[in-house]
Amino acid sequence: MNKLLVFQTDFGLDDGAISAMEGVSFTVSSELNIRHLTHNIPQYNIFDASYRLYQAINYWPEGTTFVSVVDPGVGSARKSVVAKTKTNQYIVTPNNGTLTHIAKFIGIVEMREIEERVNRLKDSELSYTFHGRDVYAYTGARLASDTITFEEVGPKMELEDIEKIELFGCKKIENGVMGQIDILDVRFGSLWTSIPYEDFKACGFAFGDNIKVEIFNRGTLAYSSTINYGKSFADVPIFTPIIYMNSSYHIAVAINQGSFAKAYDIGVGKDWTITMTKIA
């Protein structure tokens, strides 16, 4: 392992939860290099946790250990696991859907259930609501510091037992594609869709094209207009919408120096779909 330990949670930074996780990790090894992916995942939002891992993980070195704790089922029968990816990284997390995007787009080669009789903070057995500190940070630190091997995490699980969220993906429609608005580029209000660049490109769209965009909320039309397809925001005037490929190689919709989500009151998730079609 490379001693890199990366935390992601929905805990925020308003109290001592993250500091407690760091402290537990450093008691395992003061040589750990702890970093943070985000602690602003919307509360209980497993889809966002899955997506943000996928967004970031490819840009970290082999041997990095990630601890992702978005755990609405804490204290229940859901399993605590460590997954090893095809890119030789490790994810410590509840088996609750957080591994969905990694399993689909990167690949998981092995998964082990955390054996809590061994891999749990000492004297924490009566704590049922902070597994992020007591189980995940502790196990992640032991793994990242080479205190334990991956095999010592616990018993091997079948890959078919990975809990997964249903992903909308991309659907071919007449003269274009349909996808879901998966998530926002939060700070800037851009809409990141489930439409992969390659599927979009296969429709024959080219830079400079004006494309008909329709957005639906539970099947009801919420937005309809023609938007230009460009390489970057500067390809259109300020405050003008644009279609572009985002940093995760999916198609997105933005306003140059504005928030598309706020301007048109657009949300994300399974209720929100988007179509992009050629103009006749």
Side-chain angles (χ1 to χ4, degrees):
M1 301 297 176
N2 59 17
K3 293 185 170 55
L4 278 170
L5 185 61
V6 183
F7 288 147
Q8 169 180 273
T9 73
D10 59 352
F11 297 166
L13 296 172
D14 296 325
D15 62 18
I18 302 305
S19 181
M21 291 173 64
E22 289 181 322
V24 165
S25 301
F26 282 130
T27 63
V28 172
S29 172
S30 60
E31 296 181 358
L32 287 169
N33 187 354
I34 297 177
R35 293 290 184 264
H36 301 273
L37 197 160
T38 180
H39 297 293
N40 290 324
I41 299 292
Q43 292 96 321
Y44 320 118
N45 194 320
I46 295 166
F47 182 95
D48 275 34
S50 175
Y51 194 102
R52 296 308 182 192
L53 276 173
Y54 158 63
Q55 181 184 353
I57 197 170
N58 273 338
Y59 302 96
W60 286 83
E62 284 191 36
T64 299
T65 301
F66 294 82
V67 172
S68 180
V69 190
V70 176
D71 192 13
V74 62
S76 70
R78 64 91 186 93
K79 294 185 182 300
S80 300
V81 301
V82 181
K84 181 180 180 180
T85 71
K86 284 186 177 179
T87 49
N88 196 31
Q89 296 162 320
Y90 299 85
I91 305 169
V92 186
T93 187
N95 184 29
N96 62 3
T98 297
L99 296 170
T100 300
H101 286 83
I102 300 298
K104 181 174 177 61
F105 296 109
I106 295 175
I108 294 172
V109 296
E110 190 173 337
M111 184 169 71
R112 291 183 175 269
E113 182 178 0
I114 297 174
E115 175 51 78
E116 293 188 19
R117 289 177 298 179
V118 178
N119 293 306
R120 183 180 180 123
L121 181 65
K122 185 180 178 182
D123 297 327
S124 71
E125 292 79 10
L126 297 180
S127 173
Y128 300 105
T129 61
F130 199 177
H131 288 179
R133 175 196 65 196
D134 302 332
V135 179
Y136 301 130
Y138 183 72
T139 301
R142 282 162 63 82
L143 187 61
S145 64
D146 287 323
T147 303
I148 59 171
T149 64
F150 178 55
E151 290 71 24
E152 290 173 310
V153 164
K156 187 175 180 179
M157 296 177 62
E158 298 296 329
L159 295 183
E160 305 88 74
D161 292 333
I162 297 174
E163 293 289 336
K164 296 175 184 175
I165 304 164
E166 184 178 359
L167 300 181
F168 186 92
C170 176
K171 300 177 182 178
K172 183 74 174 68
I173 61 174
E174 185 176 359
N175 296 321
V177 287
M178 170 186 260
Q180 177 178 283
I181 301 173
D182 274 347
I183 206 163
L184 296 183
D185 185 352
V186 178
R187 190 167 178 82
F188 300 102
S190 305
L191 314 180
W192 285 15
T193 79
S194 62
I195 303 169
Y197 168 71
E198 290 300 328
D199 290 353
F200 180 81
K201 181 181 177 183
C203 293
F205 296 127
F207 290 128
D209 284 354
N210 288 314
I211 297 170
K212 184 177 181 180
V213 175
E214 292 185 318
I215 298 173
F216 300 86
N217 181 10
R218 298 184 180 181
T220 299
L221 186 65
Y223 174 89
S224 179
S225 190
T226 299
I227 302 180
N228 189 259
Y229 171 41
K231 292 182 179 180
S232 68
F233 311 113
D235 285 352
V236 297
I238 292 176
F239 307 136
T240 301
I242 185 172
I243 298 168
Y244 69 104
M245 183 186 75
N246 69 15
S247 58
S248 295
Y249 302 95
H250 282 69
I251 298 303
V253 182
I255 291 177
N256 184 14
Q257 297 188 34
S259 169
F260 197 103
K262 288 183 179 179
Y264 298 105
D265 196 23
I266 304 299
V268 301
K270 59 185 179 61
D271 292 337
W272 292 89
T273 55
I274 183 169
T275 63
M276 298 183 182
T277 55
K278 290 184 179 181
I279 297 175

